[in-house]
């Protein structure tokens, strides 16, 4: 992802209606007694008195004057981060539903979503997903497991989506990519294959496949 610019941009407000909304908002803050933040923001006491004592029709006339020089300051970094946070939340919900619908196990869902067994049971009912069977899932034959392992190693090196401080988000995307390669198998089955040789917290590429 490209670095986010942290520049702040001043954009002129050329719309009279928007200027009116801003002035009405300022007047409301004054009426509510929020004077100190406005002064700290750069407004003079004289201007605050004018806003306080003017009728709305005067404010409407002033707002129609483009020469008053209203600007909006946009913080690129904060606004971009807000959109990215929203996108991440939406994506997490999409993956949550996908994994529930495609047979993810309770242990898997707790690991990457911190979803309890009770919550997962409720979600399965809501999404019309199959209930979880007890015990370990039946794994494919050894030849196919070799193929799944190879695909998983490749995915781990290529799928890097996710925040650096949220490794579980990157893991979700990697498991999703693996499921796209093998759509006929449940998440629980794929998860069982890539972790059949040890601790699932260890990278698969650090393990060896027994013959």
């Amino acid at each position: 992802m490209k670095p986010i610019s942290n520049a702040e941009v001043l954009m002129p407000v050329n719309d009279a209606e928007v200027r009116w909304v801003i002035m009405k908002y300022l007047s409301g803050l004054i009426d509510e007694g929020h004077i100190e933040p406005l002064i700290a923001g750069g407004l003079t006491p004289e201007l605050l008195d004018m806003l306080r004592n003017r009728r709305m029709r005067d404010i409407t006339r002033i707002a129609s004057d483009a020469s008053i020089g209203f600007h909006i300051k946009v913080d690129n970094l904060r606004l971009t981060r807000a959109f990215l946070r929203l996108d991440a939340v939406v994506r997490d919900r999409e993956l949550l539903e996908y994994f529930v619908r495609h047979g993810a196990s309770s242990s898997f869902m707790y690991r990457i979503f911190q979803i309890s067994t009770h919550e997962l049971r409720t979600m399965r009912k809501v999404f019309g997903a199959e209930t979880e069977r007890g015990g370990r899932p039946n794994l494919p034959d050894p030849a196919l497991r070799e193929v799944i392992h190879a695909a998983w190693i490749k995915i781990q090196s290529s799928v890097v989506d996710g925040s650096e401080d949220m490794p579980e988000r990157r893991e979700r995307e990697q498991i999703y990519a693996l499921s796209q390669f093998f759509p006929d198998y449940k998440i629980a089955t794929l998860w069982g294959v890539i972790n059949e040789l040890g601790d699932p917290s260890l990278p698969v590429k650090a393990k060896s496949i027994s013959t």
Side-chain angles (χ1 to χ4, degrees):
M1 184 177 68
K2 295 174 61 178
I4 303 172
S5 171
N6 60 0
E8 293 182 342
V9 180
L10 281 178
M11 302 177 60
V13 179
N14 298 319
D15 189 288
E17 184 175 351
V18 176
R19 290 194 295 266
W20 180 84
V21 170
I22 294 173
M23 294 182 69
K24 183 180 179 182
Y25 172 72
L26 294 175
S27 297
L29 290 178
I30 296 171
D31 291 340
E32 294 171 3
H34 302 297
I35 305 299
E36 292 185 4
L38 295 175
I39 293 178
L43 298 181
T44 64
E46 293 78 13
L47 179 56
L48 295 182
D49 284 338
M50 291 180 181
L51 286 169
R52 178 192 291 115
N53 298 320
R54 293 286 180 168
R55 296 180 179 180
M56 193 55 64
R57 66 183 182 185
D58 293 336
I59 291 178
T60 301
R61 289 176 180 175
I62 294 298
S64 65
D65 183 357
S67 69
I68 60 178
F70 272 23
H71 289 75
I72 294 177
K73 184 170 73 172
V74 179
D75 188 315
N76 279 291
L77 185 60
R78 291 186 180 183
L79 185 56
T80 303
R81 283 177 174 173
F83 277 111
L84 292 177
R85 285 194 301 268
L86 176 61
D87 290 343
V89 169
V90 172
R91 180 57 176 168
D92 286 346
R93 290 176 179 173
E94 291 174 347
L95 291 179
L96 175 64
E97 180 175 349
Y98 179 87
F99 290 144
V100 172
R101 289 184 180 278
H102 288 77
S105 66
S106 298
S107 59
F108 171 85
M109 294 300 290
Y110 182 79
R111 172 188 170 90
I112 66 171
F113 282 108
Q114 288 73 56
I115 297 296
S116 69
T117 301
H118 175 73
E119 291 173 314
L120 180 57
R121 190 180 300 116
T122 300
M123 290 178 187
R124 284 177 176 143
K125 291 181 180 178
V126 171
F127 298 141
E130 294 182 14
T131 57
E132 183 176 5
R133 298 179 180 178
R136 295 173 61 88
N138 294 325
L139 301 184
D141 61 71
L144 180 55
R145 297 207 301 272
E146 290 279 1
V147 175
I148 294 174
H149 276 286
W152 177 240
I153 292 173
K154 183 177 181 180
I155 287 170
Q156 284 185 304
S157 63
S158 60
V159 178
V160 294
D161 291 349
S163 172
E164 290 299 322
D165 58 348
M166 289 284 286
E168 65 270 21
R169 181 164 285 142
R170 182 167 56 254
E171 187 174 31
R172 293 168 194 166
E173 294 292 347
Q174 291 171 344
I175 295 294
Y176 173 78
L178 185 66
S179 178
Q180 297 302 292
F181 273 109
F182 304 96
D184 295 332
Y185 291 89
K186 295 180 179 180
I187 300 294
T189 300
L190 297 175
W191 182 248
V193 170
I194 63 178
N195 296 296
E196 64 179 319
L197 302 174
D199 187 342
S201 66
L202 297 176
V204 171
K205 57 187 175 184
K207 306 168 187 175
S208 60
I209 308 287
S210 58
T211 58

